[in-house]
Amino acid sequence: MSHRFDPVILREYDVRGTVGRTLHAADGYAIGRCFATRVAETGGGRVVVGRDGRLTSEMLEAALVRGLTEGGVDVVRIGLGPSPMLYFAEAVLPGMAGGIQVTGSHNPRDDNGFKMVLRHRSLHGPGITALGALAESGRWSRGAGTVESIDLHDAYVDRLLQGQAPGRAPAFRIGWDCGSGAAGPVVERLTARLPGEHHLLHIVPDGHFPHHHPDPSDAANLVDLQALVAERGLDFGLAFDGDGDRIGAVDGRGRILWGDQILMLLAERLLLERPGATVVGDVKSSRALFDRIAQWGGTPVMGRTGHSSLKTLMADTGAPLAGEMSGHIFFGHEYYGFDDALYAAVRLIRAIDLAGRSLTDLHDAMPRLVSTPDLRIPVPESRKWAVVDSVATRLAAEGVAVDTTDGLRVSQGTGWWLLRPSNTQAAVTVRAEATDADDLATLLAGVESHLAACGVAASLSGETGPT
């Protein structure tokens, strides 16, 4: 028996597609058979499976579990919960060879997919490509695995609470927006045990996402949280994506802190505790982040965007902390090295408390730069890499120096701009940063010109805000 995946679902970080169009139950079954084969090839063991609250997740999970067990793997099901709870289970449960989370993460409602961990490392890039070849070959392991179901919520919350500062009980007043995603039940249990006063929004998982899309890296999805903070006079607010591995934040004045700014606060505290440590930021991150890490005596490293890529780079460099603009924060110091927005929330509360200043004051003290958010420009999946390659050719002809860590990052004047193919959507993404609005407008006009030469129309003006 063999299977052919739609090539568009084999992404850099995970397997993901639109259910009923590019992703089907048969794909879930094939993922299970292929993953079971990889487990057998690498020494055997159990596989933990979890899912988010999307409307199609139960169906895909059932197909996945059938594939795993028919491939000879024993499965531990942990049910509905955030992806980090799955990673936690894979890290601490005995006899685990890997884990798979059924999730569409922050993507549109009808999307879904699979995030995979094998032997404590994210399966990504060539590892995912290899699944496609294995599926087409049909050379799958066979067997009759068992299925066990457990509830890991309390154990996971116990571990999250260990991220608090020992002996301290900060009485912050905090808003929490779970976006109707999978993090809601964990946040409800976590906040019941945290000190302070907590106000919760959209905690019931609902795959219709009736309130707003579950992606805190988009300012439009933080409006409810900003309103709550203003209405109740809270100290700050925290938000999470659909599977609880991205964090967003707003200060007491409702101003957004992006992922690289959250990382900056966490890095300052870490470097006080671990002088000289390496901190990894992604290629989308502000120049201010890397400058501040160096000023505080740390070693800044720039890596490719993407949770799997950063986890791997973090492990390779021995960095105790890493993060990216989109809100994935990874903790090796006192944790397991994976991205966990719930743990990041606890550690951020700890950092604010130990700083002895409000989040609003800490935000005020950050460098005042002007930047764009992560701008997504629709481009067909089949063309997005060619567009970036074409711009690279133009830049080379002009003699422009380009950092190709991930896409094209170009420093010009007082700022920089980045163009890269999205690894999760049919789009190219643009981000730019400068010291003032005029310089930023000049950078964006240049990017528009490069894209227009490739036949891609983009209006990037006006997409700015303080970094």
Side-chain angles (χ1 to χ4, degrees):
M1 182 178 180
S2 63
H3 179 84
R4 186 178 186 276
F5 297 111
D6 187 319
V8 303
I9 74 172
L10 301 178
R11 306 295 181 110
E12 173 69 16
Y13 315 140
D14 49 32
V15 175
R16 189 180 306 170
T18 303
V19 177
R21 187 186 309 162
T22 59
L23 180 66
H24 307 273
D27 297 307
Y29 174 79
I31 289 291
R33 292 299 299 267
C34 291
F35 197 83
T37 304
R38 289 287 182 247
V39 168
E41 291 171 347
T42 57
R46 302 191 297 167
V47 172
V48 60
V49 172
R51 62 178 171 86
D52 70 12
R54 290 178 181 248
L55 303 177
T56 56
S57 290
E58 287 191 65
M59 174 271 291
L60 290 172
E61 181 201 31
L64 172 69
V65 169
R66 187 167 67 89
L68 287 166
T69 55
E70 291 184 11
V73 164
D74 292 338
V75 173
V76 178
R77 297 175 65 238
I78 60 172
L80 193 157
S83 292
M85 189 170 79
L86 182 282
Y87 303 148
F88 169 73
E90 193 272 340
V92 304
L93 293 179
M96 284 297 152
I100 304 178
Q101 177 81 355
V102 179
T103 179
S105 189
H106 62 285
N107 277 45
R109 190 184 83 173
D110 294 332
D111 284 7
N112 216 325
F114 307 89
K115 291 182 178 179
M116 293 170 278
V117 181
L118 182 63
R119 308 294 174 191
H120 309 308
R121 301 285 290 246
S122 291
L123 193 68
H124 71 287
I128 289 178
T129 301
L131 292 184
L134 178 58
E136 291 197 31
S137 77
R139 293 192 294 271
W140 294 336
S141 61
R142 297 179 183 274
T146 62
V147 180
E148 173 189 6
S149 295
I150 64 173
D151 186 339
L152 208 63
H153 285 82
D154 287 337
Y156 176 51
V157 171
D158 287 344
R159 186 61 184 85
L160 295 175
L161 289 166
Q162 292 179 31
Q164 298 181 97
R168 301 180 71 98
F172 292 123
R173 302 177 66 244
I174 306 171
W176 304 70
D177 185 348
C178 301
S180 307
V186 173
V187 168
E188 192 170 21
R189 297 186 192 208
L190 174 64
T191 54
R193 297 174 59 185
L194 282 173
E197 181 182 320
H198 304 281
H199 301 260
L200 310 186
L201 288 175
H202 315 324
I203 61 171
V204 177
D206 184 342
H208 294 96
F209 302 117
H211 304 288
H212 60 74
H213 188 65
D215 180 3
S217 69
D218 185 338
N221 300 322
L222 296 173
V223 171
D224 288 358
L225 182 61
Q226 291 169 318
L228 176 68
V229 169
E231 177 187 340
R232 304 289 178 87
L234 304 181
D235 294 312
F236 55 91
L238 302 168
F240 308 96
D241 73 337
D243 70 328
D245 59 9
R246 290 186 180 205
I247 186 173
V250 300
D251 67 15
R253 289 168 51 190
R255 297 176 301 176
I256 298 169
L257 284 87
W258 303 110
D260 52 356
Q261 294 175 310
I262 295 171
L263 181 60
M264 193 183 301
L265 295 175
L266 295 167
E268 182 175 14
R269 174 51 44 186
L270 171 78
L271 290 167
L272 289 172
E273 299 172 8
R274 296 274 302 272
T278 296
V279 179
V280 177
D282 79 324
V283 71
K284 295 181 183 179
S285 295
S286 171
R287 181 185 66 204
L289 169 68
F290 301 105
D291 289 347
R292 282 295 184 95
I293 292 168
Q295 289 168 11
W296 295 326
T299 302
V301 173
M302 183 184 294
R304 297 180 62 200
T305 290
H307 65 92
S308 297
S309 299
L310 279 191
K311 267 186 270 197
T312 300
L313 180 58
M314 184 180 180
D316 291 344
T317 60
L321 180 66
E324 62 178 6
M325 176 73 179
S326 66
H328 290 276
I329 310 291
F330 310 78
F331 296 89
H333 177 50
E334 301 179 2
Y335 210 52
Y336 306 98
F338 56 75
D339 45 336
D340 187 334
L342 286 305
Y343 187 72
V346 175
R347 289 285 289 265
L348 180 60
I349 293 168
R350 165 178 164 175
I352 296 166
D353 173 40
L354 293 175
R357 304 164 67 187
S358 70
L359 180 58
T360 302
D361 288 343
L362 293 169
H363 197 182
D364 285 339
M366 291 180 178
R368 293 292 96 185
L369 300 171
V370 180
S371 68
T372 68
D374 196 7
L375 305 175
R376 298 177 181 90
I377 301 155
V379 174
E381 192 75 31
S382 60
R383 284 201 64 218
K384 62 186 184 183
W385 294 96
V387 167
V388 175
D389 288 343
S390 178
V391 174
T393 299
R394 287 170 52 84
L395 292 169
E398 296 171 5
V400 176
V402 179
D403 184 319
T404 57
T405 297
D406 184 7
L408 313 172
R409 180 161 168 154
V410 179
S411 296
Q412 292 181 324
T414 63
W416 57 270
W417 59 266
L418 172 72
L419 174 70
R420 58 184 293 278
S422 171
N423 283 314
T424 60
Q425 295 174 307
V428 294
T429 63
V430 173
R431 175 157 154 75
E433 177 183 79
T435 54
D436 61 50
D438 288 343
D439 284 347
L440 184 62
T442 299
L443 292 177
L444 292 174
V447 178
E448 288 180 4
S449 177
H450 284 301
L451 290 172
C454 303
V456 176
S459 179
L460 306 177
S461 60
E463 300 284 0
T464 63
T467 295

